[in-house]
Amino acid sequence: LLLVALQAGFTVVIAGVVSSVTRDNDSPIWMRELGRSDGFAWIASASIAGVLALGAALVAGRSTVRLAVVALAAAVACGASASRWSERLVDFESYDAQEASGKYDIAYTLVPFSPAYGRSDIYTLPPLTRLGEAAEAMKDRPIGDRMVLLGTDALGKDVLSQMLWACRLSISIGLVSTGIALLIGVTIGAVMGFFGGWVDMLLFRVVEIFMAIPVLFLLIVAAAVLPRNTYVMMAIIGCVSWTGAARFTRAEFLKLRRQDFVQGAQAAGLPLRSVLFRHMLPNGVTPVLVDASFAVAAAIIAEATLSYLGLGPDGQASWGKLLSSATGTTGTFVWWLAVFPGFAIFFVVTVFN
């Protein structure tokens, strides 16, 4: 396996070097013409893969299985190298020459300047700045005399508007994900506490497995793999934060299942659903509600953490994203992009706690 990994790795690397050399403007003309010829990518990749496969076969010995694995690695590395063998993008001078020769018919139009290369030192305005004064200082056209109460970010967007939008996002994620966690946790905890025995032992092992999973790492992996939208984040946070509700519900149901009103409900022939959720749950819901308030705060912190790392809901403003932009664009510390979103996260989480 080590030999095959080295063989495939060297095949891809050497093919990449040959591709780069044949596309370099400083290379000889015959080499660049050879690189543009039809089928050269597959011929070069196959030649490199064949030479390295021959060397690997000599080292591997006469085992049929090993030779087959070496041949398979050569074929895979050859296909990977040839399929990624792309031409270099031409520069603007080449575009002009090709347009003059009639090869291309190019239409020119105005393209907005990319925000990635914007003048963030101009767009970033401190709090209580009047836009009319800022436009006059930049010798720009008048844009009114509206005041930006909390300043603007590096793209010139109003921080207060983004704070209000992010508040709705954070609160909704906290409440909905906690609702999902309560639904899962209360159901599993009620079954564990009511039945006990092997049912309790089996389900509690499941709870312990979920408790052992590092939640933040799981959230980062899930946010990177799954679609980055609000509903997926709600489901992810809710599906990994239900263990507290399950443990509290289990403890309360273990205490309540021997009470007279529970045994009376069973003797009256009520269905299990009614005994669990109509008679027992209202009498043991207090610890679950306390845990739910902490779960809402934890969900808000989880969303802010993912947004700070750039893995939050795509295309939406969030407190964590604003917090990360305090030093993200200019390299200098923008205090209002750290103070206001940071205070919002701190205040909301403190209130729920």
Side-chain angles (χ1 to χ4, degrees):
L1 292 177
L2 177 62
L3 177 65
V4 167
L6 292 174
Q7 170 202 346
F10 276 112
T11 301
V12 174
V13 170
I14 295 175
V17 171
V18 174
S19 173
S20 176
V21 170
T22 56
R23 291 183 290 115
D24 194 351
N25 288 333
D26 296 330
S27 300
I29 297 177
W30 66 268
M31 189 176 295
R32 283 181 283 168
E33 293 294 333
L34 181 64
R36 295 191 186 100
S37 61
D38 296 334
F40 176 75
W42 287 98
I43 295 173
S45 300
S47 303
I48 296 169
V51 172
L52 291 174
L54 181 61
L58 295 176
V59 178
R62 298 183 178 180
S63 172
T64 305
V65 176
R66 293 186 178 183
L67 293 177
V69 174
V70 167
L72 178 62
V76 172
C78 174
S81 302
S83 61
R84 302 293 295 176
W85 197 298
S86 57
E87 288 190 19
R88 179 179 177 181
L89 295 176
V90 297
D91 52 19
F92 289 105
E93 288 76 11
S94 300
Y95 275 124
D96 294 338
Q98 291 169 356
E99 182 189 14
S101 64
K103 185 176 182 180
Y104 293 127
D105 184 15
I106 302 176
Y108 294 92
T109 183
L110 293 175
V111 178
F113 200 73
S114 172
Y117 300 96
R119 290 291 304 276
S120 54
D121 56 337
I122 295 178
Y123 301 150
T124 307
L125 302 176
L128 302 180
T129 300
R130 292 191 175 275
L131 295 180
E133 298 174 359
E136 184 179 350
M138 292 184 291
K139 296 181 174 55
D140 203 350
R141 61 182 180 84
I143 53 178
D145 203 28
R146 185 173 62 88
M147 178 183 292
V148 284
L149 296 177
L150 301 185
T152 60
D153 62 3
L155 299 179
K157 294 187 291 187
D158 184 54
V159 174
L160 178 59
S161 302
Q162 297 184 75
M163 289 278 293
L164 295 174
W165 183 275
C167 178
R168 184 179 71 171
L169 174 70
S170 297
I171 298 297
S172 61
I173 286 180
L175 294 177
V176 175
S177 62
T178 302
I180 296 173
L182 286 179
L183 182 63
I184 300 173
V186 168
T187 303
I188 295 179
V191 173
M192 286 192 298
F194 182 78
F195 288 103
W198 67 269
V199 176
D200 179 33
M201 182 180 67
L202 179 63
L203 291 178
F204 204 79
R205 299 293 82 78
V206 177
V207 173
E208 289 175 340
I209 290 173
F210 273 88
M211 290 173 61
I213 297 174
V215 175
L216 181 59
F217 178 75
L218 180 63
L219 289 174
I220 291 174
V221 173
V225 174
L226 298 176
R228 288 170 49 193
N229 59 52
T230 307
Y231 303 106
V232 172
M233 182 168 292
M234 291 175 180
I236 294 172
I237 297 176
C239 290
V240 299
S241 58
W242 55 268
T243 55
R247 289 185 295 128
F248 283 121
T249 306
R250 170 185 176 271
E252 290 297 313
F253 275 48
L254 285 173
K255 181 176 67 176
L256 293 172
R257 66 177 181 170
R258 298 303 179 190
Q259 297 290 327
D260 293 339
F261 71 93
V262 177
Q263 296 186 3
Q266 290 179 284
L270 295 179
L272 178 62
R273 173 181 53 82
S274 178
V275 174
L276 289 178
F277 300 111
R278 185 176 180 183
H279 294 275
M280 295 182 69
L281 184 59
N283 291 279
V285 76
T286 305
V288 179
L289 294 179
V290 175
D291 178 71
S293 65
F294 287 101
V296 173
I300 293 174
I301 292 177
E303 183 275 326
T305 303
L306 291 176
S307 298
Y308 184 85
L309 297 175
L311 297 172
D314 196 16
Q316 295 192 41
S318 69
W319 290 337
K321 190 182 296 185
L322 285 171
L323 197 61
S324 67
S325 64
T327 56
T329 308
T330 61
T332 58
F333 180 68
V334 183
W335 66 266
W336 58 91
L337 290 177
V339 171
F340 298 125
F343 176 77
I345 297 172
F346 175 82
F347 178 74
V348 173
V349 171
T350 303
V351 166
F352 276 106
N353 286 338

